[in-house]
């Protein structure tokens, strides 16, 4: 009996000491500025707690001491000028004492931003993903660039069919890899509506506004994987565009850039390769899940009134060129974006092929597939 | 004016019978009743939406609705609670109380009064009708930031509804100001006015200053959507940030519009149940005036992360912090009123005390939010949600409930059931804190607001918060029951009702006759 | 009745206050733009300037500043758009030249608007443009590629702590003339 009770208590204890229950404060973060912001936060927090304790303490004491059963005759005083001046002056002094360190920290953030040098990453908010352009790493005449899409499958968040993973809603297909101890300027803008790029561990939150560039500068002190979110309501899938930054040593970073470059060169080779329908279908299915399923749904049925169905769609079944055009150019005035920048030729061909063969579309329509060279031809204006 | 005279002729006839009484009434008490019931219905509607939101957030993953519906609920919850519940409730209280507190027979413009009420349900019918259209309800948050809102297909209905609500509020405010300025009982100077009247006078001026700005903002939005202008569209040389500046130029004073009348109510109740005159009546007035004036120069603290130069961030941080001084003065005055009183704790007093404590907690977290570098972390997280719910729910809404319990015997002639009232208070008090206190935690830990779904680390506290929300929401049905029961039955109330109460409204019978102060009372200067 | 007159006076006064505030909200737009121009609030650049060095600008020594060029194509406009060089070092008060390249990837005629933005915002008023494609709408024929020159200089009045300036152009599609009759439906 005692043994069981002990086990039970242990269970309760482990329940309450599990990290999530104690996850009640701001992270200290991994930059000098985030540490300073954390200290500022704790300082003002304790000041407000102290104010609360004094004011409420006196109030609760009065409430108890001067309850009617204890004090039949109320006093009659209405004002006291000395007291009133006192409780205007003291809060003013407290506020000044808070404003000074706050202003100093704020100035430090702005000074750090203005400091010369560092690497530049342009961050573009899209409905509902982030694009990163490494301005200092040119590939051809364009900066090294990629999109970061949520990889948590709908089975976890929408249908709740499988157990949620450790980084539920905080995982993406392409992490932003950056070197530690290097000042990084994030130049933040947006492709459509206002987003906000929020990395708690760096104490960075900067709105992404279409047509304008906002700057946030950060120098990460410790290697690691850091996760953040979009914090400005940007439409339906606002909660599904996380940020994942992987801070690594300078050497690892250079290696990563090299790999990225090689992968891009590899692409030409892949485009030339002879692709079978099965290969394209398999690759397309994966892309469909992360890029398309959110709106058009896993079963291709769309959402009536918002997102058109692809299953049984005339364009998807019979109009190959039309479908490529929609993916390349998007549909103006709708949520359908252009994927010309987001998908390379192989991925684009694969995902189109997948939609043309899946959900019985191949049986109802012409069943033709699209190969990477079709996309190349389209881009040349030959298709 | 003529309506007042007309009423005079029909003095002994009393109200019309049936539905027509309510449709065509020009009586300030009837209109006050209409406003209060309307706001209560809206409160339950918005509350049901909040419970929908909390049910979805009970655990990670989408269980009850897709994110589109979720965003619609969040948006409508905000709009309904602000424009449908809190503001009309205060207007209802103003209608009932201002003429009785200043010794006037009615509001100065009774027919406009009727119109300004009936516009309100029309506006909400227009707004809610979008639920049955393609494109659905608005889902861009109550702040409707461009360009997200300009893409919304039913924007015209939304804009029209906001216009009608705005016209309704403006007419109500004009009425309040004209009444207070012209119809005070002979001998009542401005400084002698009861604090509720003072708080409404200031609120009405704020409304007149900022509701037209809101109307302007939505008009520009409409023009961007339909007439090819580009006020807020970067492609045409506009600036989406400009929208936020215009919106918060309205929005910040709006925040005080929702709290100033609460200050007035709390002052009355605390003084009554402490059986002691209010401490620092005139400093209370000055504090409210300075809060109102300051509210026009702090708007950009809602926008610290849009990328402003250092000088602007510093200015708005300092200006915002200054507001803590007059607000602090008010809290200290309330505490000083309690000090050395002879205090009893009836339901209105419980709500008023809870108001002071919980509003102050919300004020202190507001002070933290004013600190710009820290706000880079807090902004648009649940910390902000916790902050403004602390000032609005146990702030504005508790004060409205306190007012209802306090003046209900005067309105109906019956005492409410004290035991039930206290039960309602304690359920609400526990519910509110269980709901909103954990939101500070998840906010600090980094959970963004307006999220339909969230990371696993936030799961525990969100579950707690949802349980609290259901407790709070369901206990409001008890409030409904208590009010209805009091309307029809209960111990008869005396004219004085509360032994410590002071003011002209307590000199008339309970229930207050249909027409009061036909001959103005004399007030000693 | 004397009371009534007073009442209508205050009534009219309040109604005119409402009307004034409504128009004031529209006045906020030009006020905001003036305010931005003075303070560089949003990094906007207003219109062309001519090359003219004021005396007080001459007093300051010319110094080197790094300018980085950014490009952004918004709302999926089907255009390739990028700077011909990513970064230049310029001397203050000296005119520099660069260009952007734009390429229509469709078989349709596109009309484009390009919006400039400067970061840090406070430096915006010191980046003076003599020639820029952002002053007017640009038209690209199907598959056309154009090079758009920019001539500008940075005034020496730019803040001392400004060493890096980011000049960003965001391209929006304002009109599209279809040369085929394909209709994608919804």
């Amino acid at each position: 009996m005692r043994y069981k009770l002990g086990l039970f208590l242990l269970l309760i204890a482990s329940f309450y000491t599990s990290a999530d229950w104690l996850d009640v404060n701001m992270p200290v973060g991994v930059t000098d500025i985030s540490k300073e912001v954390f200290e500022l936060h704790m300082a003002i927090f304790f000041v407000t707690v102290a104010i609360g304790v004094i004011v409420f303490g006196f109030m609760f004491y009065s409430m108890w001491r001067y309850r009617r059963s204890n004090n039949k005759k109320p006093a009659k005083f209405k004002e006291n000028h000395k007291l009133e001046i006192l409780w205007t002056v003291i809060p003013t002094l407290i506020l000044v004492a808070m404003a000074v360190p706050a202003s100093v920290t704020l100035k430090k953030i702005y000074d750090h931003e203005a400091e010369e040098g560092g690497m530049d990453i342009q961050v573009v908010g899209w409905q509902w993903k982030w694009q990163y352009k490494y301005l200092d790493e040119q590939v051809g005449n364009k900066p090294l660039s990629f999109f970061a899409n949520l990889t948590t499958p709908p089975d976890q968040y929408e249908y709740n069919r499988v157990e949620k993973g450790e980084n539920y809603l905080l995982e993406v297909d392409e992490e932003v890899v950056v070197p530690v101890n290097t000042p990084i300027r994030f130049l933040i803008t947006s492709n459509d509506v206002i987003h906000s790029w929020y990395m708690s561990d760096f104490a960075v939150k900067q709105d992404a506004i279409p047509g304008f560039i906002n700057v946030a500068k950060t120098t990460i002190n410790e290697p690691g994987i850091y996760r953040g979110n979009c914090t400005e309501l940007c439409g339906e899938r606002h909660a599904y565009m996380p940020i994942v930054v992987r801070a690594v040593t300078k050497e690892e970073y250079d290696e990563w850039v090299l790999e990225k470059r090689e992968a891009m060169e590899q692409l030409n080779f892949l485009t030339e390769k002879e692709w079978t329908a099965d290969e394209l279908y398999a690759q397309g299915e994966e892309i469909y899940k992360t890029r398309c399923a959110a709106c058009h749904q896993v079963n291709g049925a769309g959402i009536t009134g918002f997102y058109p169905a692809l299953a049984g769609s005339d364009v998807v079944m019979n109009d190959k060129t039309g479908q490529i055009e929609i993916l390349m150019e998007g549909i103006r005035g709708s949520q359908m974006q252009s994927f010309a920048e987001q998908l390379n030729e192989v991925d684009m061909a694969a995902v189109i092929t997948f939609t043309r063969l899946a959900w019985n579309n191949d049986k109802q329509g012409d069943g033709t597939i699209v190969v990477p060279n079709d996309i190349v031809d389209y881009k040349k204006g030959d298709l | 004016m003529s309506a007042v005279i007309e009423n005079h002729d029909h003095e002994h006839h009393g109200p019309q019978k049936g539905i027509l009484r309510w449709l065509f009434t020009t009586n300030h008490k009837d209109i006050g009743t209409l406003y209060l019931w309307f706001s209560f219905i809206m409160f339950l509607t918005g509350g049901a939406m909040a419970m929908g939101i909390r049910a979805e957030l009970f655990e990670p993953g989408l269980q009850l609705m897709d994110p589109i519906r979720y965003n619609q609920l969040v948006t409508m919850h905000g709009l309904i609670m602000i424009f449908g519940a809190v503001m009309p409730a205060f207007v209802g209280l103003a209608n009932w109380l201002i003429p009785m507190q200043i010794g006037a027979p009615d509001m100065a413009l009774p027919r406009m009064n009727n119109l300004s009420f009936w516009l309100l349900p029309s506006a909400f019918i227009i707004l809610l009708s979008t639920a049955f259209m393609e494109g659905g309800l608005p889902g861009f948050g109550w702040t409707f930031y461009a360009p997200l809102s300009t893409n919304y297909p039913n924007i015209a209905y939304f804009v029209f509804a906001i216009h009608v609500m705005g016209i309704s509020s403006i007419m109500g405010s004009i009425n309040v100001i004209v009444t207070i300025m012209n119809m005070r009982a002979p001998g009542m100077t401005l400084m002698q006015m009861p604090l509720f009247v003072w708080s409404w006078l200031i609120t009405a001026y704020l409304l007149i200053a900022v509701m037209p700005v809101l109307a302007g903002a939505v008009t520009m939005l409409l023009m961007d959507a339909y007439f090819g202008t580009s006020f807020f569209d970067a492609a045409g040389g506009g600036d989406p940030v400009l929208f936020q500046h215009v919106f918060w130029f309205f929005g910040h004073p709006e925040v005080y519009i929702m709290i100033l009348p609460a200050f007035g109510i709390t002052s009355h109740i605390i003084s009554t149940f402490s059986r002691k005159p209010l401490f620092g009546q005139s400093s209370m007035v000055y504090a409210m005036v300075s809060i109102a004036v300051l509210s026009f120069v702090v708007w950009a603290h809602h926008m610290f992360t849009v990328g402003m130069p250092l000088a602007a961030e510093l200015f708005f941080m300092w200006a915002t912090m200054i507001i803590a001084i007059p607000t602090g003065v008010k809290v200290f005055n309330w505490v000083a009123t309690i000090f050395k009183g002879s205090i009893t704790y009836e339901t209105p007093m419980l709500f008023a005390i809870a108001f002071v404590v919980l509003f102050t907690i919300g004020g202190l977290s507001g002070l933290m939010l004013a600190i710009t570098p820290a706000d880079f972390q807090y902004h648009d997280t649940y910390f902000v949600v916790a902050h403004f719910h602390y000032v609005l729910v146990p702030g504005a809404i508790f004060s409205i409930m306190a007012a209802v319990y306090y003046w209900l015997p005067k309105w109906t002639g019956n005492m409410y059931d004290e035991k039930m009232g206290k039960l309602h208070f304690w359920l609400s008090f526990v519910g509110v804190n269980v709901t909103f206190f954990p939101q500070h935690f998840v906010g600090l830990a980094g959970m963004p607001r307006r999220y339909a779904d969230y990371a696993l680390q936030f799961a525990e506290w969100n579950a707690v918060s949802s349980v609290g929300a259901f407790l709070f929401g369901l206990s409001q049905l008890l409030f409904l029951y208590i009010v209805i029961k009091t309307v029809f039955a209960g111990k008869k109330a005396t004219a004085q009702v509360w032994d410590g109460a002071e003011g002209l409204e307590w000199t008339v019978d309970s229930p207050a006759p249909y027409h009061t102060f036909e001959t103005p009372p004399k007030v000693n200067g | 009745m004397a009371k009534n007159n007073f009442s209508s006076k205050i009534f009219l006064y309040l109604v005119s206050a409402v009307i004034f505030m409504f128009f004031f909200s529209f006045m906020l737009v030009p006020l905001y733009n003036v305010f931005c121009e003075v303070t560089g609030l949003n990094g906007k650049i207003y219109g062309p300037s001519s090359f003219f060095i004021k005396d007080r600008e001459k007093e300051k020594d010319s110094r080197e500043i790094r300018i980085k060029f950014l490009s952004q194509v918004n709302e999926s406009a089907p255009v390739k758009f990028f700077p011909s060089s990513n970064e230049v070092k310029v001397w203050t008060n000296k005119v520099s030249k660069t260009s952007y390249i734009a390429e229509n990837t469709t078989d349709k005629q596109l009309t484009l608007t390009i919006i400039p933005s400067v970061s840090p915002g406070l430096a915006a008023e010191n980046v003076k443009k003599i020639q820029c494609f952002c002053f007017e709408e640009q038209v690209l024929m199907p598959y056309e590629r154009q090079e758009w020159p920019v001539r500008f200089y940075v005034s020496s009045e730019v803040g001392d702590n400004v060493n890096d300036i980011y000049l960003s152009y965001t391209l929006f599609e304002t009109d599209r003339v279809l040369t085929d009759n394909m209709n994608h439906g919804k």
Side-chain angles (χ1 to χ4, degrees), chain C residues 90-104:
Chain C
V90 300
W91 290 90
T92 54
N93 292 345
K94 299 264 176 346
V95 176
S96 305
K97 211 184 142 181
T98 184
S99 67
Y100 271 70
I101 290 158
E103 186 185 337
N104 184 350

PDB file of all heavy atoms in Angstrom, chain C residues 90-104:
ATOM      1  N   VAL C  90      30.234  53.715 -52.483  1.00  0.00           N
ATOM      2  CA  VAL C  90      30.112  55.035 -53.106  1.00  0.00           C
ATOM      3  C   VAL C  90      30.710  56.079 -52.167  1.00  0.00           C
ATOM      4  O   VAL C  90      30.803  55.873 -50.957  1.00  0.00           O
ATOM      5  CB  VAL C  90      28.641  55.401 -53.404  1.00  0.00           C
ATOM      6  CG1 VAL C  90      28.029  54.401 -54.345  1.00  0.00           C
ATOM      7  CG2 VAL C  90      27.839  55.516 -52.129  1.00  0.00           C
ATOM      8  N   TRP C  91      31.117  57.178 -52.762  1.00  0.00           N
ATOM      9  CA  TRP C  91      31.555  58.330 -51.965  1.00  0.00           C
ATOM     10  C   TRP C  91      30.375  59.273 -51.832  1.00  0.00           C
ATOM     11  O   TRP C  91      29.622  59.461 -52.771  1.00  0.00           O
ATOM     12  CB  TRP C  91      32.738  59.025 -52.639  1.00  0.00           C
ATOM     13  CG  TRP C  91      33.984  58.185 -52.592  1.00  0.00           C
ATOM     14  CD1 TRP C  91      34.383  57.271 -53.519  1.00  0.00           C
ATOM     15  CD2 TRP C  91      34.947  58.160 -51.544  1.00  0.00           C
ATOM     16  NE1 TRP C  91      35.553  56.668 -53.123  1.00  0.00           N
ATOM     17  CE2 TRP C  91      35.921  57.195 -51.905  1.00  0.00           C
ATOM     18  CE3 TRP C  91      35.096  58.846 -50.333  1.00  0.00           C
ATOM     19  CZ2 TRP C  91      37.029  56.914 -51.095  1.00  0.00           C
ATOM     20  CZ3 TRP C  91      36.191  58.565 -49.538  1.00  0.00           C
ATOM     21  CH2 TRP C  91      37.145  57.608 -49.912  1.00  0.00           C
ATOM     22  N   THR C  92      30.231  59.863 -50.683  1.00  0.00           N
ATOM     23  CA  THR C  92      29.114  60.803 -50.510  1.00  0.00           C
ATOM     24  C   THR C  92      29.333  62.000 -51.424  1.00  0.00           C
ATOM     25  O   THR C  92      30.471  62.386 -51.717  1.00  0.00           O
ATOM     26  CB  THR C  92      29.005  61.281 -49.055  1.00  0.00           C
ATOM     27  OG1 THR C  92      30.255  61.811 -48.654  1.00  0.00           O
ATOM     28  CG2 THR C  92      28.602  60.149 -48.129  1.00  0.00           C
ATOM     29  N   ASN C  93      28.218  62.559 -51.860  1.00  0.00           N
ATOM     30  CA  ASN C  93      28.179  63.717 -52.766  1.00  0.00           C
ATOM     31  C   ASN C  93      28.722  63.415 -54.160  1.00  0.00           C
ATOM     32  O   ASN C  93      28.966  64.315 -54.933  1.00  0.00           O
ATOM     33  CB  ASN C  93      28.946  64.919 -52.186  1.00  0.00           C
ATOM     34  CG  ASN C  93      28.249  65.480 -50.970  1.00  0.00           C
ATOM     35  OD1 ASN C  93      27.087  65.165 -50.720  1.00  0.00           O
ATOM     36  ND2 ASN C  93      28.939  66.309 -50.223  1.00  0.00           N
ATOM     37  N   LYS C  94      28.952  62.134 -54.476  1.00  0.00           N
ATOM     38  CA  LYS C  94      29.393  61.782 -55.829  1.00  0.00           C
ATOM     39  C   LYS C  94      28.302  60.925 -56.477  1.00  0.00           C
ATOM     40  O   LYS C  94      27.790  59.994 -55.857  1.00  0.00           O
ATOM     41  CB  LYS C  94      30.690  60.969 -55.773  1.00  0.00           C
ATOM     42  CG  LYS C  94      31.850  61.719 -55.142  1.00  0.00           C
ATOM     43  CD  LYS C  94      32.689  62.358 -56.208  1.00  0.00           C
ATOM     44  CE  LYS C  94      33.837  63.224 -55.688  1.00  0.00           C
ATOM     45  NZ  LYS C  94      33.895  63.639 -54.324  1.00  0.00           N
ATOM     46  N   VAL C  95      27.997  61.245 -57.733  1.00  0.00           N
ATOM     47  CA  VAL C  95      26.931  60.510 -58.402  1.00  0.00           C
ATOM     48  C   VAL C  95      27.417  59.119 -58.805  1.00  0.00           C
ATOM     49  O   VAL C  95      28.520  58.963 -59.323  1.00  0.00           O
ATOM     50  CB  VAL C  95      26.455  61.275 -59.648  1.00  0.00           C
ATOM     51  CG1 VAL C  95      25.407  60.463 -60.397  1.00  0.00           C
ATOM     52  CG2 VAL C  95      25.877  62.620 -59.238  1.00  0.00           C
ATOM     53  N   SER C  96      26.598  58.101 -58.524  1.00  0.00           N
ATOM     54  CA  SER C  96      26.926  56.733 -58.925  1.00  0.00           C
ATOM     55  C   SER C  96      25.836  56.195 -59.827  1.00  0.00           C
ATOM     56  O   SER C  96      24.729  56.724 -59.856  1.00  0.00           O
ATOM     57  CB  SER C  96      27.027  55.825 -57.708  1.00  0.00           C
ATOM     58  OG  SER C  96      27.941  56.334 -56.801  1.00  0.00           O
ATOM     59  N   LYS C  97      26.190  55.149 -60.529  1.00  0.00           N
ATOM     60  CA  LYS C  97      25.228  54.576 -61.470  1.00  0.00           C
ATOM     61  C   LYS C  97      25.153  53.071 -61.263  1.00  0.00           C
ATOM     62  O   LYS C  97      26.173  52.425 -61.022  1.00  0.00           O
ATOM     63  CB  LYS C  97      25.715  54.880 -62.887  1.00  0.00           C
ATOM     64  CG  LYS C  97      24.589  55.038 -63.873  1.00  0.00           C
ATOM     65  CD  LYS C  97      25.122  55.245 -65.275  1.00  0.00           C
ATOM     66  CE  LYS C  97      24.208  54.483 -66.204  1.00  0.00           C
ATOM     67  NZ  LYS C  97      24.602  54.569 -67.589  1.00  0.00           N
ATOM     68  N   THR C  98      23.974  52.550 -61.332  1.00  0.00           N
ATOM     69  CA  THR C  98      23.825  51.096 -61.320  1.00  0.00           C
ATOM     70  C   THR C  98      22.593  50.775 -62.156  1.00  0.00           C
ATOM     71  O   THR C  98      21.997  51.670 -62.755  1.00  0.00           O
ATOM     72  CB  THR C  98      23.675  50.542 -59.888  1.00  0.00           C
ATOM     73  OG1 THR C  98      23.638  49.114 -59.939  1.00  0.00           O
ATOM     74  CG2 THR C  98      22.383  51.028 -59.244  1.00  0.00           C
ATOM     75  N   SER C  99      22.237  49.502 -62.204  1.00  0.00           N
ATOM     76  CA  SER C  99      21.026  49.183 -62.969  1.00  0.00           C
ATOM     77  C   SER C  99      20.364  47.928 -62.412  1.00  0.00           C
ATOM     78  O   SER C  99      20.980  47.154 -61.689  1.00  0.00           O
ATOM     79  CB  SER C  99      21.378  48.972 -64.441  1.00  0.00           C
ATOM     80  OG  SER C  99      22.149  47.812 -64.567  1.00  0.00           O
ATOM     81  N   TYR C 100      19.109  47.780 -62.749  1.00  0.00           N
ATOM     82  CA  TYR C 100      18.367  46.578 -62.418  1.00  0.00           C
ATOM     83  C   TYR C 100      17.933  45.925 -63.719  1.00  0.00           C
ATOM     84  O   TYR C 100      17.739  46.599 -64.732  1.00  0.00           O
ATOM     85  CB  TYR C 100      17.126  46.927 -61.584  1.00  0.00           C
ATOM     86  CG  TYR C 100      17.395  46.955 -60.103  1.00  0.00           C
ATOM     87  CD1 TYR C 100      18.184  47.970 -59.549  1.00  0.00           C
ATOM     88  CD2 TYR C 100      16.854  45.998 -59.245  1.00  0.00           C
ATOM     89  CE1 TYR C 100      18.435  48.010 -58.192  1.00  0.00           C
ATOM     90  CE2 TYR C 100      17.097  46.029 -57.884  1.00  0.00           C
ATOM     91  CZ  TYR C 100      17.886  47.032 -57.357  1.00  0.00           C
ATOM     92  OH  TYR C 100      18.134  47.075 -56.015  1.00  0.00           O
ATOM     93  N   ILE C 101      17.789  44.620 -63.681  1.00  0.00           N
ATOM     94  CA  ILE C 101      17.378  43.897 -64.884  1.00  0.00           C
ATOM     95  C   ILE C 101      16.003  43.289 -64.639  1.00  0.00           C
ATOM     96  O   ILE C 101      15.750  42.722 -63.561  1.00  0.00           O
ATOM     97  CB  ILE C 101      18.415  42.818 -65.243  1.00  0.00           C
ATOM     98  CG1 ILE C 101      19.682  43.539 -65.721  1.00  0.00           C
ATOM     99  CG2 ILE C 101      17.892  41.873 -66.312  1.00  0.00           C
ATOM    100  CD1 ILE C 101      20.911  42.745 -65.631  1.00  0.00           C
ATOM    101  N   ALA C 102      15.125  43.448 -65.593  1.00  0.00           N
ATOM    102  CA  ALA C 102      13.787  42.897 -65.457  1.00  0.00           C
ATOM    103  C   ALA C 102      13.458  42.088 -66.694  1.00  0.00           C
ATOM    104  O   ALA C 102      13.769  42.511 -67.815  1.00  0.00           O
ATOM    105  CB  ALA C 102      12.767  44.013 -65.274  1.00  0.00           C
ATOM    106  N   GLU C 103      12.860  40.932 -66.473  1.00  0.00           N
ATOM    107  CA  GLU C 103      12.548  40.077 -67.612  1.00  0.00           C
ATOM    108  C   GLU C 103      11.148  39.518 -67.460  1.00  0.00           C
ATOM    109  O   GLU C 103      10.805  38.927 -66.433  1.00  0.00           O
ATOM    110  CB  GLU C 103      13.570  38.941 -67.683  1.00  0.00           C
ATOM    111  CG  GLU C 103      13.413  38.092 -68.924  1.00  0.00           C
ATOM    112  CD  GLU C 103      14.366  36.902 -68.920  1.00  0.00           C
ATOM    113  OE1 GLU C 103      15.401  36.952 -68.224  1.00  0.00           O
ATOM    114  OE2 GLU C 103      14.050  35.924 -69.620  1.00  0.00           O
ATOM    115  N   ASN C 104      10.344  39.721 -68.461  1.00  0.00           N
ATOM    116  CA  ASN C 104       8.994  39.180 -68.496  1.00  0.00           C
ATOM    117  C   ASN C 104       9.086  37.695 -68.849  1.00  0.00           C
ATOM    118  O   ASN C 104       9.673  37.333 -69.854  1.00  0.00           O
ATOM    119  CB  ASN C 104       8.188  39.962 -69.555  1.00  0.00           C
ATOM    120  CG  ASN C 104       6.742  39.533 -69.603  1.00  0.00           C
ATOM    121  OD1 ASN C 104       6.360  38.538 -68.993  1.00  0.00           O
ATOM    122  ND2 ASN C 104       5.939  40.286 -70.336  1.00  0.00           N
TER     123      ASN C 104
END
